[in-house]
Amino acid sequence: MSAISVGQAVVLGVVEGVTEFLPVSSTGHLKITEGLMGIPVGDKSVVAFTAVIQVGAIAAVLAYFFKDITRIVTAWGRGLADREERYHHDYKFAWWVIYATIPIVVVGLAAKPLIEGTLASLWVVAGSLIVGSGLMWAADQMGRHKRGEDDSSLKDAMLVGSSQILALLFPGFSRSGATMSTGLILDLERVAATRLSFFLGIPALTGAGLYELKDALGAGVATLPLVVGTAVSFVVAYASIAWLLKFVAKHSFNAFVVYRVVVGVLLFGLLGTGILQA
């Protein structure tokens, strides 16, 4: 029997779509929502389900940035065939995304038992929400916001890509929060840091979702909840991406910092009083 119903899948799809690319931790919010709905957070089928519905959010990125992705992939293909094309920034950027994905893949495979075990605790989520908020606030203050997307380098991509490991090991830290913060520390503009976060998330999250698909089906998650949750996350994530890019163009990340701290403190309270189980 599936641990997740269609109705619960809709709710989780909305939460995933809203929070996947906002720097507030989609994993943390999903775990909190699952706990409030009485869904066993540590169940293998539930862990797999949350990874699979992320594919819907990633599909939203592919759709939203379709022209950019097509341009980059085309430049990469031309560069493979023609040495002269390899000086183009888009060709180099395609390789950077590939290189920057390697660290999180290695750590994800090596630390899978730990990620799905001890580190899946809501206590870890609560602490990571607050600690990650401190990093985000400091990064926004430190960054000089002077470098655009075309000024990015392999070093930027590797550092931003590797920062995804923080969110992998400490759910609640936020993949978007970690990558955007790293981009700001490297003096990228907020929009450039946000777009780089999107592009670097595509292979990592897609790979995780596809890798978990067999486990989700094998662990007892019905196909219909998976399809519904993924579809809902796609629609909501598309709207979330559009909103975020407009927001960061004119605002700092302070609103997200305050929100994360409030949620972290509230979660500590719910756990401490026994309303939620870790």
Side-chain angles (χ1 to χ4, degrees):
M1 294 293 292
S2 172
I4 299 174
S5 68
V6 173
Q8 292 171 329
V10 171
V11 174
L12 293 176
V14 171
V15 173
E16 164 64 22
V18 171
T19 62
E20 180 60 56
F21 301 111
L22 301 187
V24 297
S25 174
S26 62
T27 301
H29 280 73
L30 285 168
K31 288 183 179 297
I32 292 171
T33 304
E34 289 163 358
L36 291 173
M37 291 194 298
I39 298 173
V41 176
D43 188 278
K44 288 185 177 181
S45 65
V46 176
V47 173
F49 176 87
T50 56
V52 172
I53 64 173
Q54 286 180 334
V55 175
I58 292 302
V61 174
L62 295 175
Y64 192 89
F65 293 106
F66 181 76
K67 290 183 179 179
D68 295 292
I69 295 172
T70 300
R71 187 191 72 245
I72 293 169
V73 172
T74 300
W76 183 67
R78 287 201 303 263
L80 292 177
D82 186 349
R83 183 181 297 273
E84 293 298 321
E85 295 289 337
R86 297 175 187 176
Y87 296 99
H88 197 288
H89 182 270
D90 285 339
Y91 171 79
K92 292 185 286 186
F93 184 78
W95 278 114
W96 297 346
V97 171
I98 294 172
Y99 297 149
T101 302
I102 295 175
I104 192 173
V105 172
V106 173
V107 173
L109 293 175
K112 191 172 186 290
L114 188 61
I115 294 168
E116 295 181 353
T118 306
L119 294 178
S121 169
L122 286 178
W123 288 107
V124 176
V125 172
S128 299
L129 277 166
I130 295 175
V131 173
S133 298
L135 173 62
M136 188 180 301
W137 179 83
D140 214 5
Q141 302 303 310
M142 292 168 54
R144 290 178 286 179
H145 317 297
K146 67 176 184 178
R147 299 171 57 211
E149 191 173 341
D150 290 339
D151 299 318
S152 60
S153 64
L154 174 59
K155 175 184 175 182
D156 297 325
M158 291 301 298
L159 290 174
V160 172
S162 296
S163 70
Q164 296 178 107
I165 295 173
L166 286 172
L168 182 67
L169 296 178
F170 305 105
F173 210 97
S174 170
R175 189 202 65 81
S176 295
T179 52
M180 291 177 191
S181 296
T182 303
L184 293 178
I185 292 173
L186 294 170
D187 294 329
L188 290 174
E189 298 171 347
R190 291 190 183 95
V191 173
T194 302
R195 283 173 58 88
L196 184 57
S197 172
F198 285 142
F199 289 127
L200 289 176
I202 292 173
L205 294 179
T206 301
L210 295 177
Y211 180 81
E212 294 285 359
L213 180 58
K214 67 180 187 306
D215 293 334
L217 296 175
V221 178
T223 302
L224 184 57
L226 274 177
V227 172
V228 170
T230 303
V232 171
S233 72
F234 169 82
V235 174
V236 178
Y238 191 94
S240 179
I241 293 168
W243 177 85
L244 180 61
L245 287 172
K246 291 180 181 178
F247 180 86
V248 299
K250 298 180 179 179
H251 302 85
S252 70
F253 289 131
N254 289 342
F256 296 117
V257 171
V258 173
Y259 173 79
R260 287 169 56 100
V261 171
V262 170
V263 173
V265 171
L266 178 61
L267 182 54
F268 270 126
L270 292 172
L271 291 170
T273 56
I275 296 176
L276 280 181
Q277 298 298 314

